[in-house]
Amino acid sequence: MRVVVVGAGIGGLALAQGLVRAGVDVVVLERDAALADTGGYRLHLTPQAGAALRGLLAPVAWDAVLAACAAPGSSRRMHVVDRRLRPVFHAPFEPGPGGEPHRMVGRVALRVALGRGLADRVRLGVRVTGTSARAGGGVDVHVEGGAVAADVVVAADGVGSVVATQHAGRPTSRPVGLQGLAGRAEPGPDAPGLLDDGPALAIGPRGVGAFLTLHAPAGEPAEVVWGLVVSDAAATRTDLRGRPDPRDAAAALLAGWDPWLRGLVARTDPVTLGRYLFHAADPRRTIAPWRVDGAAPVVGLGDAVHAMPPTGGQSASTAVLDAGDLHGVLADGSGEDLAARLDAVGDAIARRGAAAVAESVAPARWIRRTSSPAASLALLGAQRAVTGARGLRDAVRGPGDPLRR
C-alpha cells in the first residue's frame, strides 16, 4: 500500500513520520522549495497533541521538537487583557494525563524538525493539480509534468487545498472578515511581566485585537512574537494591505494602546513581518472522506478540511491529532475493511475539527463586534466595570457564541 500525503505541513509531516516508522510506503508532495519556507510564527501544542506527536516520532525527531519549544513554565496560563495590557482575566493551561504540559513552539523550527529523516520521502517544489482514478485501481495524484500513483491520498495541503476542494466540489473554507499582521522583536526592559507565564490576547476598540507571546527556546535570545488581528473595516480604514511598510498602518491601528506594545511593533524588523487573511471552515458542514471512482479513499486532515483562524490557538494541535488518528488506521496495512475504517476515523476527525473551528472563531467574533463606534464604547465601558472573568465573557460574547457555557 502506498500513501501519498499532499502537503508537508505540521499534520502531513507528523503522519509521514509515523507511517515511515510503521514500514508503510509513503510519499509527501510539497509545493514549497524548502521546509523552512513557511509563514507563521508560534504554535500551541496541547497536552493531547504533544502526546500524539511523541507517539508518531522517532526519539531523535522528538528531541528536535523539544529543543524548538519554549520552557514549559512559559505556558501556564492564557491572559485576556485590555488595550493598555491591564489584566482582565486569565485561564490556566491545565496539564494533561501524566503531567503532559502545554507547549509553545516556533512554526519554522517545528516544521524543519518534523522533516528529519524524511529526505527520501518528501518531494519539494512539487505542485499538485488534482487527482483521478488510475487504471487498474488506486489514484493518480496529478502534478505538473506527470502523476504519482497512490492507494490512499491524504489531503494535508492547508487552506485552499486543491485536493479537498476538488472532492468536496466547493472551497472548504472562506474568509472570516479578519486580517492579520504579525512579527517578532526583542522584548526590551519594559515588557509586561504577565508574558513570563503565558500568552496574552488583547481586545481593543474599533475592530482591533492583539496576540502576544514571549518565546525563548533554550540557548536562544528571547523575543516577543506579536500579531494584530484586525477587522476588514479597520484594515480598510488604515490601508493595512496597501502600505509599503505595514508598520505605518499598525501605528494608526494601535493609537491609544499601551506604549510598550506600540514601541515593540515600531522597532520590529520589517523582514519578520507577515500579512494574512484569516479563513475558517463552516463547523456545521463537516467533510467526510471521499472515494475516487467509488473505491480508492481520499481523506483530509488539518486546515485542508477544517481551517480555523489562529485566534483559538488550535490549528496545529488539531492537525497533529488528525494525523495520529489516521496513523492508527493506515499503519496496520491495507485489508478489506480499510475504506470503512478510514470512513469511521474521518467522521471522528470531522467532529473534532468542527468543535475546534467553533471555539476558534469565537474570539474573532469578539474583535469584529467592536468595529462600530457604539460597540467600541460599550467594550471600553465593560472593561472598566467588569472585574470577574464571567462578567467579561458575558459582556463580549453574544447568546449564540459556541464558547458560551
Side-chain angles (χ1 to χ4, degrees):
M1 180 181 68
R2 168 181 271 191
V3 177
V4 172
V5 179
V6 180
I10 306 305
L13 289 173
L15 175 59
Q17 287 277 1
L19 293 180
V20 168
R21 294 186 70 198
V24 176
D25 181 13
V26 58
V27 176
V28 182
L29 306 178
E30 169 55 42
R31 61 178 175 265
D32 288 341
L35 293 181
D37 295 346
T38 182
Y41 297 88
R42 199 184 194 198
L43 302 175
H44 171 216
L45 294 178
T46 64
Q48 295 78 12
L53 191 57
R54 182 182 346 183
L56 292 169
L57 301 184
V60 64
W62 176 244
D63 288 343
V65 170
L66 292 180
C69 292
S74 65
S75 309
R76 288 195 290 262
R77 66 189 72 196
M78 176 73 191
H79 303 277
V80 175
V81 299
D82 67 11
R83 62 176 175 164
R84 296 287 189 175
L85 306 189
R86 294 171 296 203
V88 180
F89 72 89
H90 70 262
F93 285 139
E94 300 291 352
E100 185 78 30
H102 291 257
R103 291 185 170 90
M104 301 292 180
V105 59
R107 179 180 177 84
V108 174
L110 177 59
R111 193 185 190 202
V112 171
L114 291 178
R116 290 181 66 128
L118 295 180
D120 59 337
R121 307 289 185 137
V122 179
R123 302 182 187 177
L124 297 168
V126 175
R127 187 170 295 276
V128 172
T129 59
T131 66
S132 66
R134 176 163 48 90
V139 184
D140 276 333
V141 179
H142 297 282
V143 301
E144 294 176 346
V148 180
D151 297 299
V152 177
V153 177
V154 179
D157 45 344
V159 173
S161 166
V162 171
V163 174
T165 298
Q166 174 191 342
H167 290 279
R170 59 177 175 84
T172 57
S173 64
R174 60 183 175 83
V176 298
L178 290 174
Q179 303 180 30
L181 173 66
R184 58 183 186 270
E186 293 184 4
D190 300 324
L194 59 82
L195 295 179
D196 290 339
D197 66 355
L201 173 66
I203 301 175
R206 306 193 71 194
V208 181
F211 178 80
L212 299 163
T213 181
L214 184 65
H215 192 57
E220 297 184 20
E223 60 183 10
V224 174
V225 177
W226 59 267
L228 301 186
V229 184
V230 183
S231 70
D232 284 347
T236 300
R237 185 176 70 243
T238 56
D239 193 21
L240 175 61
R241 298 190 68 80
R243 298 200 191 201
D245 188 344
R247 293 175 301 177
D248 296 335
L253 290 165
L254 294 175
W257 282 61
D258 179 81
W260 172 82
L261 174 56
R262 299 188 70 198
L264 179 80
V265 173
R267 67 175 180 271
T268 296
D269 186 340
V271 173
T272 74
L273 294 174
R275 285 179 270 205
Y276 308 92
L277 294 176
F278 294 164
H279 289 73
D282 186 342
R284 298 164 298 183
R285 299 180 69 181
T286 58
I287 299 175
W290 307 279
R291 296 282 182 273
V292 176
D293 200 24
V298 177
V299 64
L301 64 75
D303 282 350
V305 286
H306 35 244
M308 60 195 78
T311 44
Q314 299 197 54
S315 179
S317 290
T318 304
V320 168
L321 292 171
D322 294 349
D325 287 350
L326 288 173
H327 173 265
V329 174
L330 296 173
D332 65 356
S334 51
E336 295 182 359
D337 62 342
L338 174 64
R341 287 184 290 131
L342 281 174
D343 282 345
V345 77
D347 288 341
I349 286 172
R351 289 194 300 271
R352 178 176 55 235
V357 170
E359 292 195 2
S360 295
V361 299
R365 290 197 185 108
W366 305 348
I367 294 167
R368 281 207 316 268
R369 285 173 184 154
T370 70
S371 291
S372 71
S376 295
L377 289 173
L379 174 68
L380 292 174
Q383 288 177 334
R384 293 189 185 102
V386 175
T387 57
R390 183 172 298 277
L392 178 68
R393 291 190 182 104
D394 291 343
V396 298
R397 292 175 183 162
D401 196 307
L403 278 187
R404 181 180 286 275
R405 294 289 185 259

